[in-house]
Amino acid sequence: MAQGMCFWSRNAIRSCPKCNDVKPIIVVGGGPAGSNCARAIALLGYPVVLLEGCLARKTQQIETCSASVRRTLENVCGSLPPTVLGDLDTFHSTWGSSEPEARRFHFWQAGSGARISRAGLDLSLLDAAERSGATVLRGHRARTGRSEGADWIVAVENQAGTFELSGCFVVEAMGGIARSPFQPGNSRIFTDNLICLSADIPDIESDNAIAAVEAVPEGWWFTTALDGRRTVSMFTDADLLPAPMAWRDWFTSVLSRTHHITSIIPNAVPKRIVATSARTSVRRRVWRNSWLAIGDSARTVDPLSGGGIGRALEDGQEGAEAVFRAVVKGETATLRSFAVQTVERFIQAETIRRLYYCNEGRWQFAPFWRRRVEALTAASGQPITGPDA
């Protein structure tokens, strides 16, 4: 904050730091939403502590993003190494037809999209937050939090034990966990049962890799590659899977019946299958007093329509500005607006999701697709089928 300037108002959550000790804003979770939020708060001139539970990411999944999101990432992190970010010029989609459609980023957006190592990106975003002035505590996990008057007392666990951290506001960016350590009674509303089975396989052609999605009767596939590794993911409903001990055989069998994905990675036999929840959900309450949920902590959206990294970065920036105005100026209108907008964006993503699934009409009687047609019918009040139904 520039010398001589004071933004604090009489109604602010915290008094002016020139007069009293200021307790920091605590951001919990070092993914794209949490890191960008902490970075933005630090750049606004308020003390912020970012708690990131993991010292190293266990999963090494590779994701994709659009050209506009890539530019945002490069503005936040600076130049990213080729082990973290690679060009993505064309995206292939086998959806509604057995023939893949190629979509070039340069045609519909200015510039290339990107293939991204999530583990490397998360570390880069943590570093960016630290460079901006945020206090980043790696390997520190928030276990519980309680509100005491105008303060939050957060129990933090690290390798040495547990200690308490006091702050004036908590921003929760811990991902799509069902139970919040700060708002334990604030449950989530789930709208599907989607799960992702993912494998990591070697790919010597990854420098020239494409990204692709392909619909199959059991659900849909996604694949892309970077730095000699390829992520292959299958999205289906959890109750349609066999027992976990049979996942690997089932995964390989369904993969072998794809048309386009299997041509990219012929004879792929994954050594290990990792299952993660991909359920669409929204928290019943996004904001309350001096607590705010952002990113996947607020809502999780089907990867088919969710915007992923870009949505998280946007949440982090906008959430930071809303929290800063509440803490410094005592203005809660921006927080309320952010919470309402979060729900509105969730509803919009739900609409897009239903329309995307509707465009695949080849297997409308297969359980996975029938459920999505029924959900669209229930939402619209009239039957809607895909173009090839």
Side-chain angles (χ1 to χ4, degrees):
M1 189 178 299
Q3 187 174 3
M5 296 181 67
C6 184
F7 299 119
W8 269 252
S9 77
R10 186 180 299 275
N11 297 322
I13 293 175
R14 277 289 152 200
S15 301
C16 173
K18 294 180 180 180
C19 307
N20 299 285
D21 290 335
V22 173
K23 294 188 177 179
I25 296 167
I26 301 173
V27 179
V28 185
S35 290
N36 203 37
C37 181
R39 172 183 174 271
I41 291 170
L43 289 175
L44 287 168
Y46 198 90
V48 56
V49 176
L50 173 59
L51 302 176
E52 167 51 41
C54 298
L55 287 171
R57 297 295 187 193
K58 294 181 180 179
T59 60
Q60 299 292 321
Q61 288 187 337
I62 303 162
E63 301 181 17
T64 60
C65 73
S66 66
S68 60
V69 173
R70 175 181 181 162
R71 287 192 290 272
T72 299
L73 283 173
E74 290 172 337
N75 287 336
V76 170
C77 299
S79 178
L80 291 166
T83 55
V84 176
L85 185 146
D87 290 341
L88 177 63
D89 293 324
T90 307
F91 196 95
H92 292 257
S93 172
T94 310
W95 199 276
S97 169
S98 59
E99 295 299 320
E101 175 189 357
R103 196 174 199 186
R104 291 189 60 81
F105 278 92
H106 283 275
F107 179 76
W108 57 288
Q109 286 195 2
S112 297
R115 296 164 287 136
I116 298 169
S117 164
R118 266 304 300 272
L121 175 63
D122 286 355
L123 289 175
S124 297
L125 288 167
L126 285 170
D127 290 343
E130 204 162 35
R131 288 195 303 270
S132 299
T135 299
V136 178
L137 300 181
R138 293 172 171 84
H140 288 67
R141 189 180 305 276
R143 286 302 184 187
T144 60
R146 67 184 187 275
S147 179
E148 291 188 357
D151 296 336
W152 275 96
I153 309 299
V154 180
V156 181
E157 182 181 72
N158 60 18
Q159 292 179 335
T162 303
F163 65 94
E164 289 189 336
L165 179 65
S166 179
C168 66
F169 202 108
V170 166
V171 180
E172 184 177 334
M174 300 174 66
I177 59 173
R179 185 177 181 274
S180 164
F182 308 99
Q183 301 280 335
N186 186 3
S187 60
R188 304 183 78 96
I189 301 170
F190 293 92
T191 64
D192 63 21
N193 198 25
L194 197 67
I195 191 171
C196 173
L197 296 187
S198 187
D200 191 59
I201 62 175
D203 190 328
I204 60 173
E205 300 293 334
S206 61
D207 286 342
N208 299 313
I210 59 174
V213 295
E214 180 172 349
V216 295
E218 297 84 355
W220 58 277
W221 289 88
F222 164 79
T223 186
T224 193
L226 180 70
D227 193 35
R229 296 182 298 106
R230 176 169 291 278
T231 289
V232 187
S233 299
M234 170 65 184
F235 293 83
T236 188
D237 287 334
D239 62 311
L240 300 180
L241 287 174
M245 64 184 67
W247 282 355
R248 184 170 173 270
D249 290 341
W250 182 88
F251 185 97
T252 305
S253 174
V254 178
L255 177 61
S256 69
R257 298 197 301 273
T258 61
H259 294 284
H260 188 57
I261 302 291
T262 194
S263 69
I264 300 173
I265 42 171
N267 305 315
V269 180
K271 294 181 179 180
R272 180 170 175 259
I273 301 294
V274 177
T276 55
S277 173
R279 298 179 72 184
T280 299
S281 67
V282 62
R283 199 169 287 284
R284 293 183 183 275
R285 183 184 299 114
V286 175
W287 160 61
R288 184 176 183 181
N289 299 328
S290 56
W291 168 88
L292 179 71
I294 63 172
D296 285 353
S297 282
R299 67 202 190 282
T300 55
V301 180
D302 191 316
L304 199 62
S305 61
I309 295 169
R311 172 174 56 85
L313 293 171
E314 188 176 58
D315 262 18
Q317 180 67 43
E318 295 178 359
E321 293 168 0
V323 170
F324 177 78
R325 294 185 70 87
V327 170
V328 172
K329 294 190 174 183
E331 298 175 4
T332 58
T334 309
L335 274 173
R336 185 182 302 278
S337 176
F338 177 83
V340 170
Q341 189 177 59
T342 296
V343 176
E344 289 175 345
R345 287 174 175 171
F346 175 79
I347 295 170
Q348 181 183 31
E350 276 285 83
T351 301
I352 294 171
R353 177 175 73 107
R354 293 188 181 110
L355 292 175
Y356 280 167
Y357 280 118
C358 174
N359 287 332
E360 176 53 84
R362 289 175 291 173
W363 304 291
Q364 58 179 316
F365 298 111
F368 179 88
W369 297 98
R370 185 179 68 245
R371 292 170 181 177
R372 279 132 183 97
V373 171
E374 290 171 350
L376 183 59
T377 301
S380 63
Q382 57 183 352
I384 299 178
T385 57
D388 297 329

